[in-house]
Amino acid sequence: MTHGTGGSAQGERAHGHVERLVAALRVARDGARDPDRGTGDTLPSARALAGVVEAIVAALFPNHFGPPDMGTSGVDRFVRDTLERALQTLLDQVCRELRWTARRGSLDGGGIDEHAGGIVRQFAASLPGVRSRLESDVNAAYRGDPAAKSIDEVLICYPGVKAIMHHRLAHALYELGTPLIARLIAEVAHSATGVDIHPGARIGGSFFIDHGTGVVIGETAVIGDRVRLYQAVTLGAKRFEVDEDGALVKGTPRHPIVEDDVVIYAGATILGRITIGRGSTIGGNVWVTRSVAPGSHLTQALARIEVFDAGSGI
């Protein structure tokens, strides 16, 4: 009996502690609340968007990501059903973002459903073009990696390909005026692959990220066709402009322009609104803050090598 009473008392104390914690957290939330903040039932959902992307990728490449043994006649049915479900979920997510934007005063709150429907229709119409661009990316990865044994391997295994798949879809939505949804899709890929591509970045065809981990591509970066990056490459900003109140100026071009047929090796850091000229090669671990002429080859200075015998020279 004594043991039971003690257990009950401990439970009551724990309950009281939790209630005090709940109250303290309520005060913290209320103190931090501002007009820009949404709530869980109105903000877009990263989990829902991850499902949308997975479904759309399966519809774009049904023979690789669809169910087995569909048969020729079953492919179109799978694609149709998958797209209908994915686009309906996307429509709900777009409505959430538009309502959130309207609450912040950045959008007229009227006609949100119609506006969201137009965005989703335009996005759906862009998918054949996205599919073609992704085909060029997959082929570039296969051609550019001697370890790749097949197109199938590249498509289903390579993290750089997974990252660019997400980016192509995120960028299309970013351009259509849903930057929050686009950013959430980008972060899903970032978590899965270690590749951080802002959805605003403009990337040409036949793009290949080899290995991938640690790659960072900023919002205003512009990348041409047939560009290849290796792991830990950064296309970042050198400095951030501020206004008269000291706040960061957003949206200004501040990331590099990488022209066609450029190769950038592992660990290179390229900063600022500079241009890496067509056909250039940037060596590993190079730090670049000035524009590079077409056809350039930048490498580190040669390391100094000295051999000491029996401690001489030390």
Side-chain angles (χ1 to χ4, degrees), residues 35-50:
D36 282 355
R37 293 180 183 269
T39 59
D41 62 340
T42 57
L43 286 169
S45 162
R47 179 177 296 182
L49 291 167

Side-chain angles (χ1 to χ4, degrees), residues 9-302:
Q10 289 178 4
E12 290 177 1
R13 286 196 297 271
H15 178 73
H17 176 72
V18 170
E19 287 300 316
R20 289 192 295 274
L21 179 58
V22 169
L25 289 172
R26 185 189 314 118
V27 171
R29 289 196 307 273
D30 291 343
R33 189 166 292 155
D34 63 60
D36 282 355
R37 293 180 183 269
T39 59
D41 62 340
T42 57
L43 286 169
S45 162
R47 179 177 296 182
L49 291 167
V52 167
V53 171
E54 182 178 357
I56 290 175
V57 168
L60 295 181
F61 297 94
N63 293 319
H64 293 86
F65 299 104
D69 304 322
M70 284 185 294
T72 304
S73 60
V75 172
D76 283 346
R77 182 168 56 252
F78 167 77
V79 170
R80 182 185 308 110
D81 293 346
T82 301
L83 282 178
E84 285 179 351
R85 290 193 298 269
L87 293 174
Q88 185 60 46
T89 302
L90 179 61
L91 177 62
D92 173 65
Q93 298 301 306
V94 172
C95 285
R96 289 182 178 214
E97 175 162 350
L98 295 183
R99 286 194 292 267
W100 170 76
T101 305
R103 283 202 313 275
R104 299 170 66 213
S106 305
L107 179 73
D108 183 357
I112 281 179
D113 290 346
E114 182 178 353
H115 187 188
I119 288 173
V120 173
R121 285 192 296 272
Q122 290 180 74
F123 173 75
S126 75
L127 290 178
V130 170
R131 172 59 166 77
S132 296
R133 184 60 64 88
L134 287 172
E135 188 78 27
S136 77
D137 300 327
V138 171
N139 285 324
Y142 176 68
R143 292 192 306 268
D145 185 3
K149 300 299 189 292
S150 67
I151 292 288
D152 295 334
E153 177 190 6
V154 167
L155 186 56
I156 67 176
C157 296
Y158 277 39
V161 170
K162 185 181 184 76
I164 194 62
M165 282 180 174
H166 280 70
H167 176 73
R168 299 290 186 203
L169 298 173
H171 182 70
L173 289 163
Y174 183 92
E175 292 286 288
L176 289 169
T178 56
L180 182 57
I181 284 174
R183 190 61 185 267
L184 284 168
I185 291 173
E187 287 307 311
V188 169
H190 184 194
S191 297
T193 66
V195 177
D196 184 0
I197 309 177
H198 192 286
R202 293 161 47 197
I203 301 178
S206 299
F207 182 60
F208 176 33
I209 304 175
D210 201 354
H211 303 294
T213 306
V215 166
V216 177
I217 301 175
E219 177 188 18
T220 62
V222 179
I223 299 175
D225 294 330
R226 300 173 300 279
V227 169
R228 188 191 327 165
L229 309 183
Y230 287 81
Q231 67 273 20
V233 166
T234 297
L235 303 180
K238 184 179 179 182
R239 60 174 61 91
F240 303 101
E241 296 181 23
V242 296
D243 62 20
E244 57 187 13
D245 296 322
L248 290 178
V249 177
K250 299 181 182 292
T252 58
R254 59 196 182 278
H255 300 101
I257 298 170
V258 179
E259 295 184 342
D260 299 344
D261 302 302
V262 168
V263 178
I264 305 176
Y265 284 97
T269 299
I270 303 173
L271 302 180
R273 193 57 164 190
I274 61 175
T275 299
I276 306 300
R278 179 172 184 160
S280 294
T281 299
I282 308 300
N285 297 315
V286 171
W287 181 279
V288 186
T289 57
R290 295 183 181 180
S291 291
V292 173
S296 298
H297 296 268
L298 269 63
T299 60
Q300 293 190 65
L302 291 175

